[in-house]
Amino acid sequence: MNILTAEHLSKSYGDKILFNKIGFTISEKQRIGLIGVNGTGKSTLLKIVSGLEAADEGEVIHARQFRVEYLPQNPEFDEEITVLDYLYKGDNPIMQAVRDYEGALYELEQNPEAEASQKRLFQAQARMDSTNAWEAGTQAKTILTRLGISEFHKPASLLSGGQRKRVALAAALIQPADLLILDEPTNHIDNETVEWLEEYLTKYRGALLLVTHDRYFLDRVTDTIFEISQGKLYSYEGNYAVYLEKKADRQEQEASSEAKRQNLLRRELAWLRRGARARTTKQKARIQRVEELKEQGPGGQAERLDLSVSASRLGKKIVEIEQLSKSFDGRTVIRDFNYIALPNDRIGIIGRNGSGKTTLLNLLAGRLQPDDGRIELGQTVKLAYYTQESQEMDEQMRVIEYIKEGAEMIRTQDGQTISAAQMLERFLFSPSAQWTPIGKLSGGERRRLYLLRTLMGEPNVLLLDEPTNDLDIETLTVLEDYLDSFPGVVITVSHDRYFLDRTADRLFSFEDAEGRVRVYEGSYSDYLAARRNEPVVEEADKKSKTAGPDTSTDPRDADTSSSKRPRKLSYKEQKEWDEIEQVIAGLEERAERLQAQIAEAGSDVEQVQSLYEEQRTVAEELDRAMDRWAELSELVEQIEQEKRK
């Protein structure tokens, strides 16, 4: 059942047309991902659907009691409002009951003996009972905890930008809604929280419309993709992987149509140039036909970002870190860290929010000084730092002025020297857009401009702090390709798992409150697989270090004593080991068949949804089977090693 219909929507800003007479429907429990190049109007469309902005033409139709909850890309807060008031805002009776209860509870904690506070809490509890709000309150606490929000009565004026985004995300998830609209929900949350949010949204009761650059997130959460391109909206049934396949098919068809148009235009022009008898009715019709073919223009070939900025030569000595330590307010965030950078290093930095990731980049960039230890850079190092907040940008400055402040001429990878204006065109800023004040650019356009300014100094060591925030997927794909061939060192802080998998083959992981940084070899997916098997090993190591001789007779500990017979697989384990590879192969075949069936289902929404749910179940079963295979494989290897002793 459709819950919302958009008809003939058009929106322009000055001479720039964002979209023209587009239409779509949203049905119950549909999961839609909205994608497109920065500046094509994704955030604007979300605002129109949510009722916060009006379209130039067209309308959005929904039921009178329809409820939308919207998370903006950059939430605005009243500086005096508290976290609690923002979280449980609105006139919904359940939210009001939870807000009153939390406020009464806090008041009583501050004045335990006050009778008025006790009475208020009693009344709030009664209201929670009468509105059946306890479940909503528990759910809200779970969401807040997972997003790292604990200070309910803290004023918004004391929150950082990242904290504000997480509070706004929590408020959007808590509020009951028929349609939840999220603009870049994965910005400012760490990798573990992104994975939790994925799981939460797959069980969300309402419909979902979101913009995100996180391709793993899109693939796992959505069942429909809307793409805005050159003022049009294209709809694809299926997740992000299905979208890529169907878009490739569409572009192939458009290329074929364009080739036919060009051939027909050439034939018509050749006929006219032969000097056939002028001004006959047939001749006039031919001229009109040529004009129509010209006006049709290329079919759907969008401009593509050209990221071809050159880099300087890098010597043997790059970055040397020795016994590096840094503390803030008595808390150590980095302790005794050592590392020597190698040529072409691709390093990803991961960890929870506030663990010290950006601090490490600031130390490397010289913006902070270590408490202990040292950082030495080689003489040939030209370091560029792409920060998370782009604080260096003056919003009053025009785009072309901002780039010329860095350099009038820019050298490309193929050795050419081009002007700042030409490079801006390669970064998808038209000549007219180059005179736009930075303050009028979209969030993604600012980040794209800031990326150009960062790279134009020809750096050979790149520090990237959350580079995926606010950049569109196409720009990220081009950036990933650029980093593949970048002749230097790249060190990236990112919560985007796909980006890390594409750009990092070594990880610095901030894993504990003591400030220790561990170095992992491999991609982020390799790291996750290793972490799943680590806790048991770490606990065993801890036990062997802290305990004395083990006198236990528990048969589970039989393999810890060299005087006893080697451990063997139990009958059940042996049977499982014999069959598990066949089970995995069967699940992989099922996954492939389902993928093919989804592609064949076309626009049959119900069938695609059913197949997508089955595909998700099979993927989960396959993950569990692979984990179990890894456990049994390790156990078999240990037994074989014991036999050889």
Side-chain angles (χ1 to χ4, degrees), residues 460-511:
N460 47 33
V461 174
L462 272 176
L463 307 181
L464 306 176
D465 193 2
E466 296 291 3
T468 64
N469 282 0
D470 300 325
L471 286 180
D472 59 77
I473 291 173
E474 183 173 318
T475 301
L476 288 177
T477 302
V478 176
L479 176 59
E480 288 160 357
D481 290 341
Y482 172 77
L483 295 179
D484 280 344
S485 59
F486 180 74
V489 172
V490 182
I491 304 176
T492 305
V493 170
S494 181
H495 64 269
D496 188 318
R497 298 152 299 171
Y498 188 99
F499 189 83
L500 284 173
D501 275 346
R502 280 281 281 112
T503 61
D505 50 28
R506 180 175 294 119
L507 299 177
F508 293 168
S509 177
F510 287 73
E511 294 185 354

Short mmCIF file of all heavy atoms in Angstrom, two decimals, residues 460-511:
data_model
loop_
_atom_site.label_atom_id
_atom_site.label_comp_id
_atom_site.label_asym_id
_atom_site.label_seq_id
_atom_site.Cartn_x
_atom_site.Cartn_y
_atom_site.Cartn_z
N ASN A 460 52.71 14.38 -0.99
CA ASN A 460 53.08 12.97 -1.13
C ASN A 460 52.75 12.17 0.14
O ASN A 460 52.97 10.95 0.17
CB ASN A 460 54.56 12.80 -1.52
CG ASN A 460 55.47 13.66 -0.66
OD1 ASN A 460 55.20 13.90 0.52
ND2 ASN A 460 56.57 14.14 -1.24
N VAL A 461 52.28 12.86 1.17
CA VAL A 461 51.73 12.20 2.36
C VAL A 461 50.36 12.82 2.63
O VAL A 461 50.26 14.03 2.85
CB VAL A 461 52.64 12.35 3.60
CG1 VAL A 461 51.96 11.77 4.83
CG2 VAL A 461 53.97 11.66 3.37
N LEU A 462 49.32 12.01 2.56
CA LEU A 462 47.95 12.49 2.74
C LEU A 462 47.39 12.03 4.08
O LEU A 462 47.41 10.83 4.39
CB LEU A 462 47.05 11.94 1.63
CG LEU A 462 46.95 12.73 0.33
CD1 LEU A 462 46.08 11.97 -0.66
CD2 LEU A 462 46.36 14.11 0.58
N LEU A 463 46.91 12.98 4.87
CA LEU A 463 46.17 12.67 6.09
C LEU A 463 44.70 13.00 5.83
O LEU A 463 44.37 14.15 5.54
CB LEU A 463 46.69 13.50 7.28
CG LEU A 463 48.19 13.44 7.58
CD1 LEU A 463 48.50 14.30 8.80
CD2 LEU A 463 48.66 12.01 7.80
N LEU A 464 43.84 12.01 5.92
CA LEU A 464 42.42 12.19 5.61
C LEU A 464 41.59 11.88 6.85
O LEU A 464 41.60 10.75 7.34
CB LEU A 464 42.00 11.25 4.47
CG LEU A 464 42.82 11.33 3.18
CD1 LEU A 464 42.34 10.28 2.18
CD2 LEU A 464 42.72 12.72 2.56
N ASP A 465 40.87 12.87 7.35
CA ASP A 465 40.02 12.69 8.53
C ASP A 465 38.56 12.65 8.08
O ASP A 465 37.99 13.67 7.70
CB ASP A 465 40.24 13.83 9.53
CG ASP A 465 39.63 13.52 10.90
OD1 ASP A 465 39.07 12.42 11.07
OD2 ASP A 465 39.70 14.38 11.79
N GLU A 466 37.98 11.48 8.12
CA GLU A 466 36.60 11.24 7.69
C GLU A 466 36.34 11.83 6.30
O GLU A 466 35.46 12.68 6.11
CB GLU A 466 35.59 11.82 8.70
CG GLU A 466 35.66 11.17 10.06
CD GLU A 466 35.15 9.72 10.06
OE1 GLU A 466 34.81 9.19 8.99
OE2 GLU A 466 35.13 9.12 11.14
N PRO A 467 37.09 11.39 5.29
CA PRO A 467 36.93 11.98 3.95
C PRO A 467 35.59 11.66 3.31
O PRO A 467 35.18 12.34 2.37
CB PRO A 467 38.07 11.34 3.16
CG PRO A 467 38.33 10.04 3.85
CD PRO A 467 38.11 10.33 5.31
N THR A 468 34.90 10.62 3.79
CA THR A 468 33.64 10.23 3.14
C THR A 468 32.45 11.07 3.59
O THR A 468 31.38 11.00 2.96
CB THR A 468 33.33 8.74 3.40
OG1 THR A 468 33.11 8.54 4.79
CG2 THR A 468 34.48 7.86 2.95
N ASN A 469 32.60 11.85 4.67
CA ASN A 469 31.47 12.67 5.13
C ASN A 469 31.06 13.66 4.05
O ASN A 469 31.86 14.47 3.59
CB ASN A 469 31.85 13.45 6.41
CG ASN A 469 31.81 12.58 7.64
OD1 ASN A 469 31.49 11.39 7.58
ND2 ASN A 469 32.14 13.16 8.79
N ASP A 470 29.79 13.59 3.65
CA ASP A 470 29.17 14.55 2.72
C ASP A 470 29.65 14.45 1.28
O ASP A 470 29.23 15.25 0.44
CB ASP A 470 29.36 16.00 3.20
CG ASP A 470 28.73 16.23 4.56
OD1 ASP A 470 27.69 15.63 4.83
OD2 ASP A 470 29.30 17.01 5.36
N LEU A 471 30.53 13.49 0.96
CA LEU A 471 30.88 13.30 -0.44
C LEU A 471 29.95 12.25 -1.05
O LEU A 471 29.61 11.26 -0.40
CB LEU A 471 32.34 12.83 -0.59
CG LEU A 471 33.43 13.87 -0.35
CD1 LEU A 471 34.80 13.23 -0.52
CD2 LEU A 471 33.28 15.06 -1.27
N ASP A 472 29.56 12.46 -2.31
CA ASP A 472 28.67 11.51 -2.95
C ASP A 472 29.44 10.26 -3.37
O ASP A 472 30.68 10.24 -3.40
CB ASP A 472 27.99 12.15 -4.16
CG ASP A 472 29.00 12.64 -5.20
OD1 ASP A 472 29.54 11.81 -5.94
OD2 ASP A 472 29.26 13.86 -5.23
N ILE A 473 28.69 9.21 -3.69
CA ILE A 473 29.30 7.92 -3.99
C ILE A 473 30.19 7.99 -5.23
O ILE A 473 31.27 7.39 -5.26
CB ILE A 473 28.21 6.84 -4.15
CG1 ILE A 473 27.55 6.57 -2.79
CG2 ILE A 473 28.78 5.55 -4.73
CD1 ILE A 473 26.36 5.65 -2.85
N GLU A 474 29.77 8.74 -6.25
CA GLU A 474 30.58 8.83 -7.46
C GLU A 474 31.92 9.48 -7.17
O GLU A 474 32.97 9.03 -7.64
CB GLU A 474 29.83 9.61 -8.55
CG GLU A 474 30.59 9.66 -9.86
CD GLU A 474 29.79 10.28 -10.99
OE1 GLU A 474 28.59 9.98 -11.10
OE2 GLU A 474 30.38 11.06 -11.76
N THR A 475 31.91 10.56 -6.39
CA THR A 475 33.16 11.23 -6.02
C THR A 475 34.05 10.30 -5.20
O THR A 475 35.27 10.25 -5.40
CB THR A 475 32.87 12.52 -5.24
OG1 THR A 475 32.08 13.39 -6.04
CG2 THR A 475 34.16 13.23 -4.86
N LEU A 476 33.44 9.54 -4.30
CA LEU A 476 34.22 8.60 -3.49
C LEU A 476 34.86 7.53 -4.37
O LEU A 476 36.01 7.14 -4.15
CB LEU A 476 33.33 7.93 -2.45
CG LEU A 476 32.88 8.81 -1.28
CD1 LEU A 476 31.95 8.03 -0.35
CD2 LEU A 476 34.08 9.33 -0.50
N THR A 477 34.14 7.06 -5.37
CA THR A 477 34.68 6.04 -6.27
C THR A 477 35.89 6.59 -7.02
O THR A 477 36.92 5.91 -7.15
CB THR A 477 33.61 5.60 -7.29
OG1 THR A 477 32.48 5.09 -6.57
CG2 THR A 477 34.14 4.50 -8.19
N VAL A 478 35.80 7.85 -7.49
CA VAL A 478 36.92 8.47 -8.19
C VAL A 478 38.09 8.69 -7.23
O VAL A 478 39.25 8.46 -7.58
CB VAL A 478 36.49 9.81 -8.82
CG1 VAL A 478 37.67 10.52 -9.47
CG2 VAL A 478 35.39 9.57 -9.86
N LEU A 479 37.79 9.11 -6.00
CA LEU A 479 38.84 9.31 -4.99
C LEU A 479 39.55 8.00 -4.68
O LEU A 479 40.78 7.96 -4.56
CB LEU A 479 38.23 9.91 -3.72
CG LEU A 479 39.19 10.10 -2.53
CD1 LEU A 479 40.35 11.00 -2.90
CD2 LEU A 479 38.44 10.66 -1.32
N GLU A 480 38.79 6.92 -4.56
CA GLU A 480 39.39 5.60 -4.29
C GLU A 480 40.33 5.19 -5.41
O GLU A 480 41.44 4.69 -5.17
CB GLU A 480 38.29 4.56 -4.10
CG GLU A 480 37.53 4.72 -2.79
CD GLU A 480 36.17 4.04 -2.79
OE1 GLU A 480 35.78 3.49 -3.83
OE2 GLU A 480 35.49 4.10 -1.75
N ASP A 481 39.91 5.43 -6.67
CA ASP A 481 40.77 5.10 -7.81
C ASP A 481 42.04 5.96 -7.79
O ASP A 481 43.14 5.48 -8.10
CB ASP A 481 40.01 5.33 -9.12
CG ASP A 481 38.92 4.29 -9.34
OD1 ASP A 481 38.98 3.23 -8.69
OD2 ASP A 481 38.00 4.56 -10.14
N TYR A 482 41.88 7.25 -7.42
CA TYR A 482 43.04 8.14 -7.34
C TYR A 482 44.03 7.65 -6.29
O TYR A 482 45.24 7.62 -6.52
CB TYR A 482 42.56 9.55 -7.02
CG TYR A 482 43.67 10.53 -6.71
CD1 TYR A 482 44.44 11.09 -7.72
CD2 TYR A 482 43.95 10.91 -5.40
CE1 TYR A 482 45.46 11.99 -7.45
CE2 TYR A 482 44.97 11.81 -5.11
CZ TYR A 482 45.72 12.35 -6.13
OH TYR A 482 46.73 13.23 -5.85
N LEU A 483 43.51 7.25 -5.13
CA LEU A 483 44.38 6.78 -4.05
C LEU A 483 45.07 5.48 -4.41
O LEU A 483 46.17 5.19 -3.92
CB LEU A 483 43.58 6.62 -2.75
CG LEU A 483 43.01 7.92 -2.15
CD1 LEU A 483 42.22 7.62 -0.88
CD2 LEU A 483 44.12 8.92 -1.86
N ASP A 484 44.44 4.66 -5.26
CA ASP A 484 45.09 3.42 -5.71
C ASP A 484 46.42 3.71 -6.38
O ASP A 484 47.39 2.97 -6.21
CB ASP A 484 44.18 2.68 -6.72
CG ASP A 484 43.09 1.88 -6.03
OD1 ASP A 484 43.21 1.64 -4.81
OD2 ASP A 484 42.12 1.50 -6.70
N SER A 485 46.47 4.78 -7.16
CA SER A 485 47.68 5.10 -7.92
C SER A 485 48.50 6.24 -7.29
O SER A 485 49.50 6.65 -7.87
CB SER A 485 47.30 5.48 -9.36
OG SER A 485 46.42 6.60 -9.37
N PHE A 486 48.08 6.72 -6.14
CA PHE A 486 48.78 7.84 -5.49
C PHE A 486 50.19 7.39 -5.08
O PHE A 486 50.36 6.42 -4.33
CB PHE A 486 48.00 8.28 -4.26
CG PHE A 486 48.64 9.43 -3.51
CD1 PHE A 486 48.59 10.71 -4.01
CD2 PHE A 486 49.28 9.21 -2.30
CE1 PHE A 486 49.17 11.77 -3.32
CE2 PHE A 486 49.86 10.26 -1.59
CZ PHE A 486 49.81 11.55 -2.11
N PRO A 487 51.25 8.08 -5.55
CA PRO A 487 52.62 7.63 -5.29
C PRO A 487 53.17 8.13 -3.96
O PRO A 487 54.20 8.82 -3.91
CB PRO A 487 53.38 8.24 -6.47
CG PRO A 487 52.66 9.52 -6.74
CD PRO A 487 51.21 9.25 -6.46
N GLY A 488 52.48 7.84 -2.89
CA GLY A 488 52.91 8.29 -1.58
C GLY A 488 52.20 7.52 -0.49
O GLY A 488 51.69 6.42 -0.70
N VAL A 489 52.14 8.12 0.69
CA VAL A 489 51.55 7.49 1.87
C VAL A 489 50.17 8.10 2.13
O VAL A 489 50.02 9.33 2.06
CB VAL A 489 52.46 7.66 3.10
CG1 VAL A 489 51.78 7.19 4.38
CG2 VAL A 489 53.77 6.91 2.89
N VAL A 490 49.20 7.25 2.43
CA VAL A 490 47.85 7.72 2.76
C VAL A 490 47.47 7.17 4.13
O VAL A 490 47.52 5.96 4.36
CB VAL A 490 46.81 7.25 1.72
CG1 VAL A 490 45.43 7.79 2.08
CG2 VAL A 490 47.21 7.68 0.32
N ILE A 491 47.10 8.07 5.05
CA ILE A 491 46.67 7.68 6.40
C ILE A 491 45.27 8.24 6.61
O ILE A 491 45.07 9.46 6.54
CB ILE A 491 47.64 8.21 7.48
CG1 ILE A 491 49.06 7.72 7.20
CG2 ILE A 491 47.18 7.78 8.87
CD1 ILE A 491 50.11 8.28 8.16
N THR A 492 44.30 7.36 6.83
CA THR A 492 42.89 7.74 6.81
C THR A 492 42.19 7.36 8.11
O THR A 492 42.28 6.22 8.55
CB THR A 492 42.16 7.04 5.65
OG1 THR A 492 42.84 7.32 4.43
CG2 THR A 492 40.72 7.51 5.56
N VAL A 493 41.47 8.33 8.70
CA VAL A 493 40.48 8.03 9.74
C VAL A 493 39.12 7.95 9.05
O VAL A 493 38.73 8.89 8.36
CB VAL A 493 40.44 9.13 10.82
CG1 VAL A 493 39.24 8.94 11.74
CG2 VAL A 493 41.72 9.14 11.63
N SER A 494 38.43 6.84 9.20
CA SER A 494 37.12 6.71 8.56
C SER A 494 36.26 5.69 9.28
O SER A 494 36.76 4.71 9.82
CB SER A 494 37.29 6.29 7.09
OG SER A 494 36.02 6.18 6.46
N HIS A 495 34.93 5.95 9.27
CA HIS A 495 33.97 4.97 9.76
C HIS A 495 33.32 4.23 8.60
O HIS A 495 32.49 3.36 8.80
CB HIS A 495 32.88 5.68 10.58
CG HIS A 495 32.06 6.62 9.74
ND1 HIS A 495 32.40 7.95 9.60
CD2 HIS A 495 30.98 6.43 8.97
CE1 HIS A 495 31.52 8.54 8.80
NE2 HIS A 495 30.65 7.64 8.39
N ASP A 496 33.70 4.60 7.36
CA ASP A 496 33.11 3.99 6.17
C ASP A 496 33.84 2.69 5.87
O ASP A 496 34.98 2.68 5.40
CB ASP A 496 33.22 4.95 4.99
CG ASP A 496 32.46 4.47 3.76
OD1 ASP A 496 32.52 3.26 3.45
OD2 ASP A 496 31.80 5.29 3.11
N ARG A 497 33.17 1.56 6.12
CA ARG A 497 33.82 0.26 6.01
C ARG A 497 34.23 -0.06 4.58
O ARG A 497 35.28 -0.64 4.34
CB ARG A 497 32.88 -0.82 6.57
CG ARG A 497 32.56 -0.59 8.05
CD ARG A 497 31.21 -1.14 8.43
NE ARG A 497 30.15 -0.49 7.68
CZ ARG A 497 28.89 -0.90 7.70
NH1 ARG A 497 28.54 -1.94 8.43
NH2 ARG A 497 27.96 -0.26 7.00
N TYR A 498 33.38 0.31 3.62
CA TYR A 498 33.70 0.06 2.21
C TYR A 498 34.95 0.86 1.81
O TYR A 498 35.85 0.32 1.16
CB TYR A 498 32.51 0.46 1.34
CG TYR A 498 32.65 0.08 -0.12
CD1 TYR A 498 32.03 -1.06 -0.61
CD2 TYR A 498 33.39 0.86 -0.99
CE1 TYR A 498 32.15 -1.41 -1.95
CE2 TYR A 498 33.53 0.52 -2.33
CZ TYR A 498 32.90 -0.62 -2.80
OH TYR A 498 33.04 -0.96 -4.13
N PHE A 499 34.99 2.14 2.20
CA PHE A 499 36.14 2.98 1.86
C PHE A 499 37.42 2.42 2.48
O PHE A 499 38.47 2.39 1.83
CB PHE A 499 35.88 4.41 2.35
CG PHE A 499 36.89 5.42 1.88
CD1 PHE A 499 36.77 5.99 0.62
CD2 PHE A 499 37.96 5.80 2.68
CE1 PHE A 499 37.70 6.93 0.18
CE2 PHE A 499 38.89 6.72 2.25
CZ PHE A 499 38.76 7.29 1.00
N LEU A 500 37.34 1.96 3.73
CA LEU A 500 38.51 1.37 4.37
C LEU A 500 38.97 0.11 3.64
O LEU A 500 40.17 -0.11 3.43
CB LEU A 500 38.21 1.04 5.83
CG LEU A 500 38.18 2.21 6.81
CD1 LEU A 500 37.71 1.74 8.18
CD2 LEU A 500 39.55 2.87 6.93
N ASP A 501 38.02 -0.73 3.26
CA ASP A 501 38.38 -1.95 2.53
C ASP A 501 39.07 -1.61 1.20
O ASP A 501 39.96 -2.34 0.76
CB ASP A 501 37.13 -2.80 2.26
CG ASP A 501 36.79 -3.72 3.43
OD1 ASP A 501 37.65 -3.89 4.31
OD2 ASP A 501 35.68 -4.26 3.45
N ARG A 502 38.64 -0.53 0.56
CA ARG A 502 39.21 -0.16 -0.74
C ARG A 502 40.56 0.54 -0.62
O ARG A 502 41.39 0.43 -1.54
CB ARG A 502 38.24 0.77 -1.48
CG ARG A 502 37.11 0.09 -2.17
CD ARG A 502 37.53 -0.53 -3.51
NE ARG A 502 37.61 0.48 -4.56
CZ ARG A 502 38.73 0.88 -5.13
NH1 ARG A 502 39.89 0.39 -4.75
NH2 ARG A 502 38.72 1.79 -6.09
N THR A 503 40.80 1.25 0.48
CA THR A 503 41.96 2.15 0.52
C THR A 503 43.00 1.81 1.59
O THR A 503 44.04 2.46 1.63
CB THR A 503 41.50 3.61 0.74
OG1 THR A 503 40.82 3.71 1.99
CG2 THR A 503 40.56 4.06 -0.37
N ALA A 504 42.75 0.85 2.46
CA ALA A 504 43.70 0.55 3.55
C ALA A 504 44.06 -0.93 3.55
O ALA A 504 43.19 -1.79 3.42
CB ALA A 504 43.10 0.94 4.90
N ASP A 505 45.36 -1.21 3.69
CA ASP A 505 45.80 -2.59 3.85
C ASP A 505 46.54 -2.80 5.17
O ASP A 505 47.12 -3.84 5.42
CB ASP A 505 46.68 -3.04 2.68
CG ASP A 505 47.81 -2.05 2.39
OD1 ASP A 505 48.25 -1.36 3.33
OD2 ASP A 505 48.25 -1.98 1.23
N ARG A 506 46.50 -1.77 6.02
CA ARG A 506 47.04 -1.88 7.38
C ARG A 506 46.21 -0.96 8.27
O ARG A 506 45.81 0.12 7.85
CB ARG A 506 48.51 -1.46 7.40
CG ARG A 506 49.17 -1.53 8.77
CD ARG A 506 50.65 -1.23 8.70
NE ARG A 506 51.36 -2.27 7.97
CZ ARG A 506 52.06 -2.08 6.84
NH1 ARG A 506 52.12 -0.86 6.33
NH2 ARG A 506 52.67 -3.06 6.24
N LEU A 507 45.93 -1.37 9.51
CA LEU A 507 45.06 -0.60 10.40
C LEU A 507 45.77 -0.25 11.69
O LEU A 507 46.50 -1.08 12.26
CB LEU A 507 43.79 -1.38 10.72
CG LEU A 507 42.88 -1.77 9.56
CD1 LEU A 507 41.70 -2.60 10.08
CD2 LEU A 507 42.36 -0.54 8.82
N PHE A 508 45.56 0.99 12.17
CA PHE A 508 45.90 1.37 13.54
C PHE A 508 44.58 1.35 14.31
O PHE A 508 43.66 2.11 14.00
CB PHE A 508 46.48 2.78 13.59
CG PHE A 508 47.83 2.95 12.94
CD1 PHE A 508 48.35 4.22 12.70
CD2 PHE A 508 48.58 1.85 12.54
CE1 PHE A 508 49.58 4.39 12.10
CE2 PHE A 508 49.82 2.01 11.94
CZ PHE A 508 50.32 3.28 11.71
N SER A 509 44.48 0.47 15.30
CA SER A 509 43.21 0.30 16.01
C SER A 509 43.35 0.80 17.46
O SER A 509 44.18 0.30 18.21
CB SER A 509 42.81 -1.19 16.01
OG SER A 509 41.64 -1.38 16.76
N PHE A 510 42.50 1.80 17.82
CA PHE A 510 42.41 2.30 19.19
C PHE A 510 41.39 1.41 19.91
O PHE A 510 40.19 1.51 19.68
CB PHE A 510 41.95 3.75 19.21
CG PHE A 510 43.00 4.73 18.76
CD1 PHE A 510 43.35 4.83 17.42
CD2 PHE A 510 43.62 5.56 19.67
CE1 PHE A 510 44.31 5.74 17.01
CE2 PHE A 510 44.59 6.48 19.28
CZ PHE A 510 44.93 6.56 17.93
N GLU A 511 41.88 0.53 20.80
CA GLU A 511 41.00 -0.53 21.31
C GLU A 511 40.73 -0.49 22.80
O GLU A 511 39.88 -1.24 23.28
CB GLU A 511 41.58 -1.90 20.94
CG GLU A 511 41.58 -2.14 19.45
CD GLU A 511 42.04 -3.54 19.08
OE1 GLU A 511 42.47 -4.28 19.99
OE2 GLU A 511 41.96 -3.90 17.89
#
